[in-house]
Amino acid sequence: MIREGLKRRCGLPVTGLAALMAFAMPDDARANGALEQQFARFKSEIVREAAAKGIRASTARSALAGSKLNLKLPDLEIPGRPKRRVPSSRGQSEFTKPPQAYLNAKQLARLAKRGRDLAVKHRRTLRDVEARLGVPGHVVLGIWGRETAFGGYRLRHNAVDVLATLAFIGRRKEMFREELFAALRMIDSDAVRKAGLRSSWAGAVGLTQFMPTEYFSTALDLDGDGTKNLWAPRDALASAANQLKLKGWLSDRPWGIEVSIGGSANCAMAGPTGTRTVREWRDLGLRRRDGRPFTPQQLEWQTYLLVAGGTYGPVFLVTENYVVFRRYNLSDLYALFVGDLANRIAGRGTFIEPWANLKQVTTGELAEIQEHLKGLGFGITKIDGKLGSNTRSQIGKYQVARGLKPDCWPTRKLLARVQREAKR
């Protein structure tokens, strides 16, 4: 009706109306239409390349046929839109929430109770996992609880949609291209049906959240039924333990020890670059927060100081096993969540020092702090608006250099100070 009405009013043939209507479309609509056409060509390219990799073209074509671009995902570089000064952290709570919010006490208590029940229910599986792989049951339960709330969290995305979008216009296209091929291979091998391949925003699948490439490199068939089933607890828990083992898990130590900073030590010494033995940290003035002495074995461990909330919360000497948690998910808050939950499930309680009610600066504000600190000669290695060990440490070093009491926490007051200093 619209086309016929335009024909009558404008005197144009119907065949010429498409160009007129396209001309009248908003710029965003035209851009999205062009992007969809490019995406269709991209999917055809993926089908051809998948076939060359030994994946049936019919599988790839079917899996990608209904795949849709998801422009709401983080970490995208959408053609025609201005590039962000720093990558978006939208949807990544590890980088947008302060510690006391991310490590929500009520949520952790609820998950720990459920975890203790599951430790009883799956005690045979957990015993087999520890005997075979050397990773304690409470640790793999901590991973399961954080990743999918023990299977209670419904993953929001279709993995093929997510991975195709990220491989097409993501900031890390090549990485996600390989993940997309791995997901198609999973479907092709009948490991999972496409409709059941639900994932996180980054394409991780299963109860303990494996990237598709990890399915082929580290997943285990613990129950011996011939299938690596990441949606069944026995295989999922064994697979998570295997991944931790392959990432360097050490069976003779915990992930960390809560400590108090004293003597000549301060938070500016935190982070992996400040790795020392526990003996060296003790000699600098660190003490166990529970008042007990370090054991002779502990004194020889290589550790670094972790101040996830600056000086406004619990402080830890963390071991290689903490680093292994970070290799599972590259975030201090994630690793602390898993460690805290695992300790609670094992009946060891939570941290002694409480978290302060910290405020989190925005991603852009943190990026500006990083930028100014780098300009002032401090060792900022990446301007990304994400709060990691190096940024906290460099904030502390700046504060020490300026005669301030180091707290290693980014604030708007700190931002204003480095802005003023940068203008001089």
Side-chain angles (χ1 to χ4, degrees):
M1 292 178 65
I2 294 174
R3 290 165 67 94
E4 290 300 329
L6 281 170
K7 180 183 178 182
R8 286 193 300 270
R9 291 178 61 185
C10 302
L12 291 173
V14 172
T15 54
L17 290 177
L20 176 62
M21 293 179 73
F23 179 77
M25 288 171 65
D27 288 344
D28 285 351
R30 286 201 300 274
N32 287 343
L35 196 61
E36 291 288 351
Q37 290 177 353
Q38 293 169 20
F39 185 52
R41 290 193 292 272
F42 168 80
K43 290 191 291 184
S44 297
E45 176 187 320
I46 291 294
V47 171
R48 290 191 297 272
E49 192 171 337
K53 292 177 177 289
I55 301 167
R56 286 175 292 182
S58 59
T59 298
R61 192 176 297 111
S62 174
L64 289 163
S67 292
K68 300 176 182 178
L69 276 174
N70 185 345
L71 301 183
K72 294 182 180 180
L73 295 175
D75 228 16
L76 299 182
E77 293 181 340
I78 301 173
R81 295 188 187 178
K83 284 191 176 182
R84 293 177 178 270
R85 188 166 65 95
V86 294
S88 171
S89 293
R90 179 171 49 85
Q92 297 173 267
S93 59
E94 291 87 354
F95 301 110
T96 57
K97 287 185 176 181
Q100 80 281 356
Y102 186 91
L103 289 106
N104 182 278
K106 290 183 178 178
Q107 181 190 15
L108 278 159
R110 185 169 59 250
L111 287 173
K113 182 179 184 304
R114 176 68 174 146
R116 289 189 290 271
D117 292 340
L118 290 170
V120 174
K121 180 178 179 179
H122 297 292
R123 59 182 174 272
R124 177 170 164 266
T125 291
L126 296 171
R127 184 179 63 242
D128 291 348
V129 165
E130 184 163 6
R132 179 171 171 178
L133 300 164
V135 181
H138 62 276
V139 170
V140 288
L141 286 172
I143 294 284
W144 186 14
R146 179 64 196 100
E147 292 292 356
T148 61
F150 303 115
Y153 174 70
R154 184 183 179 277
L155 296 167
R156 297 169 50 198
H157 303 286
N158 179 289
V160 176
D161 289 356
V162 162
L163 293 171
T165 298
L166 292 169
F168 176 53
I169 52 173
R171 190 169 54 87
R172 296 169 289 173
K173 295 181 182 65
E174 291 307 314
M175 184 192 93
F176 284 108
R177 193 182 188 95
E178 291 308 309
E179 296 296 344
L180 176 57
F181 286 128
L184 295 175
R185 188 172 288 113
M186 288 178 73
I187 298 168
D188 197 43
S189 65
D190 296 324
V192 65
R193 292 179 295 106
K194 180 209 171 190
L197 202 59
R198 308 299 300 176
S199 79
S200 69
W201 73 263
V205 301
L207 295 178
T208 52
Q209 289 290 272
F210 269 40
M211 294 302 289
T213 54
E214 293 169 337
Y215 172 82
F216 293 100
S217 64
T218 57
L220 291 182
D221 173 20
L222 190 68
D223 59 18
D225 67 353
T227 302
K228 301 172 183 178
N229 188 349
L230 295 178
W231 294 264
R234 190 163 170 82
D235 284 359
L237 293 171
S239 297
N242 192 42
Q243 190 171 151
L244 292 174
K245 178 184 177 183
L246 292 173
K247 290 180 186 298
W249 185 267
L250 300 173
S251 59
D252 66 342
R253 65 199 61 186
W255 60 267
I257 303 170
E258 188 174 352
V259 295
S260 298
I261 298 178
S264 58
N266 61 54
C267 65
M269 303 165 74
T273 58
T275 296
R276 295 171 170 83
T277 65
V278 173
R279 184 187 304 278
E280 290 173 305
W281 283 116
R282 183 199 63 181
D283 292 345
L284 286 169
L286 265 66
R287 297 292 182 265
R288 285 184 61 130
R289 183 66 177 78
D290 61 13
R292 295 160 55 194
F294 295 110
T295 68
Q297 182 187 31
Q298 290 170 345
L299 288 173
E300 305 311 316
W301 292 347
Q302 291 286 322
T303 58
Y304 70 82
L305 185 63
L306 174 71
V307 291
T311 58
Y312 303 110
V315 176
F316 307 90
L317 286 180
V318 294
T319 72
E320 179 65 21
N321 289 340
Y322 175 84
V323 179
V324 169
F325 286 155
R326 278 180 49 87
R327 290 174 184 144
Y328 205 101
N329 183 311
L330 197 60
S331 158
D332 282 325
L333 292 185
Y334 172 90
L336 279 176
F337 193 108
V338 171
D340 190 10
L341 179 56
N343 286 353
R344 289 170 183 251
I345 292 170
R348 297 173 187 162
T350 186
F351 311 142
I352 298 171
E353 187 72 23
W355 297 104
N357 187 26
L358 289 166
K359 301 296 183 183
Q360 184 89 346
V361 295
T362 68
T363 299
E365 288 169 335
L366 182 55
E368 190 174 353
I369 290 172
Q370 292 170 327
E371 190 172 17
H372 288 311
L373 288 176
K374 184 174 183 178
L376 291 168
F378 292 88
I380 295 292
T381 55
K382 188 183 293 186
I383 298 171
D384 58 3
K386 294 180 179 180
L387 184 57
S389 290
N390 184 61
T391 295
R392 288 190 297 267
S393 174
Q394 296 306 318
I395 289 171
K397 286 179 168 58
Y398 168 83
Q399 292 168 326
V400 170
R402 299 303 187 264
L404 305 171
K405 183 178 179 181
D407 64 8
C408 300
W409 186 255
T411 62
R412 287 178 177 165
K413 183 177 179 180
L414 173 68
L415 173 59
R417 182 185 176 99
V418 294
Q419 284 173 334
R420 289 194 302 270
E421 194 167 339
K423 290 178 181 178
R424 293 174 189 165

